[in-house]
Amino acid sequence: PQIKQKIKNRESATVLRNRLYSLYRHSDPSRFKSFLEDLRYVLGNEQIDIKTTSDMQIESDVIFLVTMTAKDSKKDIGLLGSGTLQIIEILINLYANRADLSLILLDEPDSHIHRSIQKRLFEVLTRFAIDCQIFLTTHNESLVKETPMESLIHLDGSSKEYRAIQPMLQNGRFRGIL
């Protein structure tokens, strides 16, 4: 209920901070390190660092400071762009509570993200797909073209049917509209 209330009040950054704090403080330190390595890879920036000195046991607000380059001054995580925050949120979902995670649903995770970043993000998602099933929706033509045919499913909203795209190919080209 607290999460729903925060989102309703447009305070979703608080939820992000709390989940990041949980990964930062309460998990195996190697998990946060792996999260940070994946974030650096996806964003194509080896200089990114995220730190906090907050303690949720005594402070009401968790503050995360981010540096994007070695010369960059520390800034609050809330000042990052929407695409970067979206990537952080997706990666937190992959790293948090992995024992309970068997299905991931992503609705157009590629929006607001540069094409080269999208490609690296989907490489990371594919690596996680070994342990769980991932469904994502997209209208991104380049993403569809780069995805193996056996991984694509066409949803037809009018007939409530879904079918694999591979049988829809004729001479290596799509038949109809995807």
Side-chain angles (χ1 to χ4, degrees):
Q2 290 177 7
I3 292 172
K4 288 181 181 179
Q5 187 63 36
K6 292 285 187 186
I7 292 171
K8 182 178 176 183
N9 293 338
R10 299 180 189 265
E11 298 173 359
S12 58
T14 304
V15 176
L16 175 74
R17 291 168 199 266
N18 291 346
R19 295 186 70 220
L20 187 58
Y21 183 85
S22 179
L23 182 62
Y24 187 86
R25 290 276 189 226
H26 300 296
S27 68
D28 175 2
S30 66
R31 284 182 62 202
F32 185 79
K33 183 180 177 190
S34 295
F35 160 81
L36 199 52
E37 287 172 2
D38 279 341
L39 179 64
R40 290 171 179 154
Y41 173 71
V42 170
L43 294 177
N45 182 347
E46 292 298 318
Q47 301 294 315
I48 295 174
D49 198 24
I50 301 175
K51 295 197 184 303
T52 187
T53 57
S54 298
D55 184 351
M56 284 184 74
Q57 303 302 318
I58 57 176
E59 298 174 60
S60 59
D61 292 325
V62 176
I63 305 297
F64 276 95
L65 298 176
V66 178
T67 54
M68 299 300 279
T69 67
K71 295 179 182 179
D72 193 15
S73 61
K74 295 177 183 177
K75 60 185 162 212
D76 185 83
I77 198 167
L79 297 176
L80 296 175
S82 62
T84 302
L85 289 172
Q86 182 178 350
I87 290 167
I88 290 172
E89 188 171 344
I90 289 170
L91 292 177
I92 286 173
N93 286 322
L94 295 175
Y95 278 93
N97 301 323
R98 294 263 335 255
D100 298 333
L101 192 64
S102 61
L103 179 66
I104 299 173
L105 305 172
L106 298 169
D107 185 26
E108 298 193 31
D110 50 330
S111 61
H112 306 104
I113 300 173
H114 188 272
R115 183 176 289 171
S116 63
I117 293 174
Q118 290 172 7
K119 184 176 181 178
R120 291 188 297 268
L121 175 61
F122 292 114
E123 287 175 21
V124 171
L125 286 171
T126 302
R127 192 178 74 234
F128 277 87
I130 294 169
D131 298 331
C132 62
Q133 197 168 16
I134 299 176
F135 288 91
L136 71 101
T137 62
T138 188
H139 294 98
N140 184 327
E141 184 179 338
S142 63
L143 178 61
V144 171
K145 286 180 179 179
E146 292 179 17
T147 302
M149 286 296 162
E150 60 272 7
S151 298
L152 295 174
I153 298 172
H154 177 257
L155 301 175
D156 184 355
S158 61
S159 65
K160 309 287 189 235
E161 292 181 8
Y162 66 91
R163 57 188 180 275
I165 288 183
Q166 197 158 13
M168 297 172 61
L169 293 176
Q170 188 174 37
N171 298 328
R173 302 183 138 234
F174 291 112
R175 291 182 290 151
I177 299 174
L178 293 179

